Each structure stands twice: as C-alpha cells, then as structure tokens.
Amino acid sequence: MDEFGHDGSSGEFGRFVNICLTIFLSITYCYFISRNTPKGFPRLLSILPIIYIFTIIPLKLSSFHLTTGTGFLISWLANFKLVLFSFDKGPLSSDPTPVSSSSPSPMTFLRFIGITCLPIKVKQSNRSTVPSCTRQHMHGMHCYVLEARNLFGIDVDPPFGNYFFLSTSFQDFWGRRWNLMVSSILRSFVHEPVRHIIRRSWGLYVAIIVTFFVSGLMHELLIFYVFRKQPCWDVLVFFILNGICLAVEMKVKKSLNGKWQLNQLFSILLTNGFLVCSSFWLLFPFLEKFKFRVLVMEEMANFTKLLHNVLVDPIVRSYLNASHMHETETNVSYGVI
C-alpha cells in the first residue's frame, strides 16, 4: 500500500463490479419501492439507507479514477437527485421530453437508472429551432450527449456551455458556461429551498453563497474519498470566495440597473484573471501538496501494465505456442526429431 492508501491490487476491478451491482440494485429499489411511497419525508425515509450506501461506496475503492467517478456521480449527484426525488422535485420526478416528440413521456426504469447515475442534464423546456444533432456536431466535446439520446430516447442538454474562457462575468461563467449539469442540481437542491425560506430581497445573495458553500463541501468530500487525508479546506475557501464575488456582482448590477457597463474585453480579462489567480492561490498548491500528478501518473502506469498483462501477454504467449507447435510439426515431418 502506497502513501495515498491505494493498494493497487488486481482485486480493484472485482470490487468495482460488486459496487456497480450494488448501485443497480439500489436504484431498482428506489424506482419500484420508493416511487410508490408518498412524497415528502415518508419517501425520504425509505431512501435514506440508499443515500447512506451511496455515501460510503467510494471508500471501498482505491483507484483514483474509479473513486473520483463514483464519488462524483453516485455519492454527490445521485444522492442529490434522490433527495429531490423524495420531495417530487428534480430530474427524476419530471417526465422527460423524448427526442422525437414535444410532449413528455413516462419515466421508464431504464431512464430512471440513466438519469440517476449518469452525467446527463435532461432538457425540460421546449427545444430550440436549431436541430439537436446539428448543435452537437458543432461541439465535439458533447458527443456523448448524442449517445445518451440514442440510449434513453430523451432530449438532453450539453453538460458545459460554450467557450468558458470567454466569460464576461461570474454570473456568465458559473451560470451559463461552466458545468451546467451540476449548476442545475445545486439550483434545485440548495438555491431554491434557501430562497423559499428567506423571501427577502437579500435572500438571493444568501442563497448564492450557501450554494457555493455546499458545492465546496462536496468537492472537499471528493478529495477525501481520493486521498483519505484530513481536508485542508482550500477548495472550500475557493468556492465561498467565488460565491461572494458572484453575489456582490449581482448586487452591483442590480444597483446600476444597466446604466453603466464595463467594456466586454475588459470584463473577460477581469473575470478570467480573477479565476486564474484564485486557482493558483487555492487550488494548484493543494494539488501539489497531495502529489496529484504523481498519483495520476502512477495509476496510468499501473493501468497500462494491467492492460499489458491481460491483453498483450496472452496474445504473445498464444503466438509463441502456435509458432513452437508449428516448428515441432515441421521438424517431425522432415524427420529431424
């Protein structure tokens, strides 16, 4: 076992298969049992055991990539979706819109599983006049969205906006360009409930900061899953800082009421400059502290070695055995042996 707590054993794949089976059975339970339970706290109580299982599942893994993916998709997003589903909110409670129709269709079992555990953002509003496939061909990074549409037969949005490095404000970056899938879940899970509780005008800014606070906590949880070390909270500070900046920006815009605006190029430089500087201040030192690059390179090397042992070695041995048998048969035919 190395300093990251990763044993690198060949049993990692077996554990991952067991975890996938556990996730499948858990989501099946949520669909067939909890869906028939009254919404609200009764449904939440029926789902709480699944939320607990999904929270501890990444601790059963040691691989950086598998732990990160499972922690992000299951312990974070799937748990948030299931809590929203308990109160009949979120993507699991809304019948999705099929690609070939403009009206919603029932949430099937396959769609429930896909929306729960995959990084897809279901489109709830009416589609634009631009064909979906045309938009996706324009953005190669979202090719998997087409696969999600083909597999589940529903209309989905890209997880990211276009050209995040051209953001003209914090609102533009966090709300319309960067990780729209997570933003949508956080909006339903945190922002809207806080706004419902705090109905005053300043409640909007409290909701923004609380949303970024929760996002920071979830990022810290992902970091704990991977490194199994006490958090240093730099990532949480990064998100709280950006949340405060976004709240101040929206307050200033509301006060000015469009009477004065910064030059667009200057806005882009100012926004991206702050994001880059805060990243170098809070994020990159943390990655160096936990030797992130070493961990990724070691795991890639181990994965390459595993592929070599599983794929290359058997092929080479089969080829050598076949060559040896052919040589033996040739020698026998010529009376050498």
Side-chain angles (χ1 to χ4, degrees), residues 137-303:
H137 287 154
M138 293 169 57
H139 309 291
M141 64 178 295
H142 305 313
C143 289
Y144 83 95
V145 173
L146 289 177
E147 298 301 325
R149 288 172 174 165
N150 295 333
L151 180 61
F152 303 111
I154 57 177
D155 203 4
V156 298
D157 282 328
F160 287 84
N162 299 330
Y163 310 114
F164 60 87
F165 52 86
L166 295 180
S167 302
T168 58
S169 64
F170 293 106
Q171 188 176 8
D172 186 30
F173 178 81
W174 292 107
R176 290 185 287 268
R177 296 182 186 268
W178 182 257
N179 211 338
L180 304 181
M181 175 187 58
V182 173
S183 298
S184 177
I185 295 298
L186 287 173
R187 186 179 300 111
S188 301
F189 188 84
V190 183
H191 188 272
E192 292 176 0
V194 173
R195 288 291 290 132
H196 180 75
I197 296 173
I198 307 177
R199 298 180 179 272
R200 297 179 178 274
S201 58
W202 48 267
L204 170 64
Y205 312 113
V206 174
I208 291 172
I209 297 174
V210 172
T211 300
F212 275 82
F213 174 78
V214 172
S215 179
L217 283 180
M218 297 310 299
H219 280 83
E220 292 284 358
L221 179 61
L222 291 179
I223 293 168
F224 174 75
Y225 284 147
V226 174
F227 298 104
R228 314 290 165 87
K229 291 178 180 283
Q230 183 176 357
C232 57
W233 307 114
D234 290 348
V235 177
L236 177 61
V237 173
F238 172 83
F239 280 95
I240 293 177
L241 179 62
N242 276 269
I244 293 174
C245 292
L246 175 57
V248 171
E249 176 188 272
M250 294 185 65
K251 176 62 176 177
V252 171
K253 286 183 177 179
K254 185 176 181 180
S255 301
L256 294 176
N257 196 23
K259 296 179 181 179
W260 181 79
Q261 293 181 349
L262 290 174
N263 176 271
Q264 185 175 16
L265 178 59
F266 182 74
S267 298
I268 293 175
L269 294 175
L270 186 63
T271 302
N272 285 273
F274 179 86
L275 291 170
V276 170
C277 291
S278 59
S279 297
F280 273 96
W281 172 34
L282 295 169
L283 298 185
F284 296 151
F286 143 77
L287 295 177
E288 290 296 328
K289 177 181 178 181
F290 285 160
K291 299 181 180 179
F292 174 78
R293 290 182 297 177
V294 175
L295 174 60
V296 173
M297 293 178 65
E298 286 182 350
E299 182 155 309
M300 291 179 64
N302 292 332
F303 180 72

Side-chain angles (χ1 to χ4, degrees), residues 45-156:
L45 288 175
S46 67
I47 290 179
L48 277 180
I50 305 302
I51 294 175
Y52 171 76
I53 292 173
F54 282 2
T55 301
I56 65 172
I57 267 181
L59 298 176
K60 306 297 182 180
L61 296 168
S62 59
S63 164
F64 165 77
H65 293 90
L66 295 180
T67 303
T68 303
T70 305
F72 175 65
L73 297 177
I74 304 302
S75 300
W76 182 354
L77 294 185
N79 271 344
F80 278 24
K81 293 173 186 177
L82 289 175
V83 172
L84 290 171
F85 172 67
S86 300
F87 297 93
D88 202 28
K89 298 181 181 297
L92 296 176
S93 298
S94 303
D95 291 333
T97 302
V99 176
S100 58
S101 174
S102 59
S103 58
S105 63
M107 178 70 73
T108 63
F109 177 56
L110 179 61
R111 290 172 180 173
F112 190 88
I113 292 178
I115 295 173
T116 301
C117 60
L118 295 180
I120 57 177
K121 181 178 181 291
V122 180
K123 181 189 288 292
Q124 298 296 336
S125 58
N126 293 331
R127 295 189 298 274
S128 63
T129 57
V130 180
S132 298
C133 291
T134 301
R135 292 199 309 270
Q136 294 310 314
H137 287 154
M138 293 169 57
H139 309 291
M141 64 178 295
H142 305 313
C143 289
Y144 83 95
V145 173
L146 289 177
E147 298 301 325
R149 288 172 174 165
N150 295 333
L151 180 61
F152 303 111
I154 57 177
D155 203 4
V156 298

